[in-house]
Amino acid sequence: MATKRIGILTAGGDAPGLNAAIRGFGKAAIGVHGWELIGFRDGMRGLAENRFVHLDSASLSGILTTGGTFLGTSRDKVHRMMVDGQETDMIPTIVDNYEKNKLEALVCLGGGGTAKNAKRLMDAGLNVLHLPKTIDNDIVETDSSFGFATALEIATEAVDRLHSTAHSHHRIILTEIMGHRAGWLALGAGIAGGADVILLPEVPYDVDAIVAKIERRRSHGSTFSVIAVAEGALNTADRMELDHAEQLVKEASTPESKAAAKRGVKRLEASHRANTFTLAEQLEERTGLEARVSILGYVQRGGTPNAADRLLGTRLGVAGAQAVEDGKFGVMVADRGHGTELVPLKKVAGKVKYVPADHEWIQAARAVGTSFGD
């Protein structure tokens, strides 16, 4: 009987725990199941260009504690990949490479965009498996995704450190934390770091409400405030404008009008990107306190994964190998309590796990006096 040959790749943004997941899947695939494993370089682009390396126990050794992904990554879309300056559907080429390499399955580690790419390849007839990675924790149908726990620790430490500067200089400090669509990271870091105000994409804010919170603190003797801001947070007026633009996308009747409407959404999102600095100026003007912005940016995604992400990556990787052994494809390996669950990709692709308005974390934050600017 021929040895199974499995392909694996990492796609989308880098995140702590990717190497742990590759190692978990790889060691189980090679050591337990006796399969041959190849790793495609630089995500879906490497798959389209058939660039890969053979993985063995030696190549998987020593990567558990390293950040990023030793395979490299990219954000390419399989059906709209830039090739020689032209947008090209590379799915037929990928199918050819899959067959040329005699693959039994393709394992894709990534976030929401990777889930959509994986589903496209599944629809093209490939045996695909998805392992959920993102620091934003916004993938549906899984309790958590590897990368989130480490990023949460980094963001929390940043909020902790900024407290001392805010207190010493009697300032308002706004800490911008990653989370374009969902505010899990800002919410968790804001609670754990004791932020006075937390602003989320899911909860449009009113500047008057934030000013009122700062003034209440000042009336009680606190001459500083720390605000945790998700990068996708919007005030009520901007949120209404963006909601309207997104509704036009849904109502578009032709591909051309839909494309134009999507471009309008992107323009609006880009124009709102400087909101944290605008908000800082507004708060400084209205409170008389100096306001400063600290953008954490990519530092949240880099560095050594913590124990939780190493454990989660390993667990999901090993469970993924078992799913391949059992012939379970077209699924995501989800984190469920202390175990795992296989979820059909059609239930995951194109969806976002937003923070519910009544989520326990929000209730806890409100109970300890945190404002959400609403």
Side-chain angles (χ1 to χ4, degrees), residues 112-329:
T114 304
K116 288 192 282 189
N117 275 330
K119 184 179 181 299
R120 292 180 185 112
L121 297 181
M122 176 193 77
D123 292 340
L126 305 191
N127 291 335
V128 179
L129 191 75
H130 178 231
L131 302 186
K133 168 276 315 174
T134 174
I135 68 168
D136 294 331
N137 196 37
D138 62 353
I139 301 176
V140 298
E141 302 292 337
T142 184
D143 291 349
S144 190
S145 52
F146 50 88
F148 175 66
T150 305
L152 181 59
E153 281 192 6
I154 294 169
T156 299
E157 182 180 358
V159 175
D160 287 346
R161 290 176 179 274
L162 290 168
H163 257 104
S164 59
T165 295
H167 179 270
S168 299
H169 291 272
H170 313 298
R171 286 175 176 166
I172 302 166
I173 291 190
L174 299 89
T175 311
E176 187 176 286
I177 297 169
M178 282 186 169
H180 180 66
R181 298 178 298 177
W184 295 103
L185 195 54
L187 176 59
I191 294 172
D196 305 298
V197 180
I198 300 173
L199 303 180
L200 307 177
E202 296 89 344
V203 185
Y205 65 82
D206 187 313
V207 177
D208 289 339
I210 302 172
V211 170
K213 171 65 177 179
I214 293 170
E215 294 299 350
R216 281 197 301 274
R217 286 177 51 75
R218 184 149 56 177
S219 70
H220 292 118
S222 294
T223 57
F224 74 96
S225 291
V226 174
I227 304 176
V229 186
E231 62 183 349
L234 295 173
N235 62 41
T236 51
D238 288 346
R239 181 74 263 176
M240 289 176 62
E241 187 179 16
L242 190 58
D243 285 345
H244 176 68
E246 291 172 342
Q247 185 61 36
L248 292 178
V249 174
K250 296 178 182 178
E251 295 173 355
S253 57
T254 66
E256 293 77 17
S257 60
K258 183 175 287 290
K262 286 182 177 179
R263 288 194 295 272
V265 169
K266 289 185 180 296
R267 282 195 297 271
L268 276 176
E269 289 176 339
S271 69
H272 296 328
R273 185 64 184 83
N275 263 5
T276 306
F277 289 98
T278 302
L279 177 59
E281 292 172 0
Q282 293 171 334
L283 295 178
E284 183 169 302
E285 180 181 346
R286 296 176 62 173
T287 65
L289 295 171
E290 289 186 2
R292 296 291 183 269
V293 175
S294 179
I295 298 178
L296 301 187
Y298 294 118
V299 71
Q300 296 159 94
R301 293 214 313 233
T304 301
N306 68 5
D309 276 333
R310 295 182 207 179
L311 177 58
L312 180 58
T314 301
R315 286 176 49 230
L316 295 183
V318 171
Q322 187 58 52
V324 173
E325 171 68 11
D326 295 339
K328 304 291 187 181
F329 303 116

Side-chain angles (χ1 to χ4, degrees), residues 44-162:
M44 296 295 173
R45 180 161 292 274
L47 178 61
E49 296 173 353
N50 205 29
R51 292 187 286 110
F52 61 85
V53 292
H54 291 274
L55 302 179
D56 54 21
S57 295
S59 60
L60 298 172
S61 178
I63 66 172
L64 176 64
T65 61
T66 59
T69 163
F70 82 101
L71 289 176
T73 188
S74 68
R75 295 186 180 275
D76 295 283
K77 298 175 182 177
V78 292
H79 66 309
R80 289 169 51 195
M81 194 175 295
M82 294 303 295
V83 179
D84 296 328
Q86 297 292 323
E87 206 170 68
T88 307
D89 182 0
M90 295 302 288
I91 293 177
T93 302
I94 289 172
V95 171
D96 287 343
N97 289 339
Y98 180 96
E99 294 172 349
K100 184 189 305 180
N101 290 310
K102 297 181 170 58
L103 296 183
E104 180 76 17
L106 176 68
V107 182
C108 304
L109 284 64
T114 304
K116 288 192 282 189
N117 275 330
K119 184 179 181 299
R120 292 180 185 112
L121 297 181
M122 176 193 77
D123 292 340
L126 305 191
N127 291 335
V128 179
L129 191 75
H130 178 231
L131 302 186
K133 168 276 315 174
T134 174
I135 68 168
D136 294 331
N137 196 37
D138 62 353
I139 301 176
V140 298
E141 302 292 337
T142 184
D143 291 349
S144 190
S145 52
F146 50 88
F148 175 66
T150 305
L152 181 59
E153 281 192 6
I154 294 169
T156 299
E157 182 180 358
V159 175
D160 287 346
R161 290 176 179 274
L162 290 168

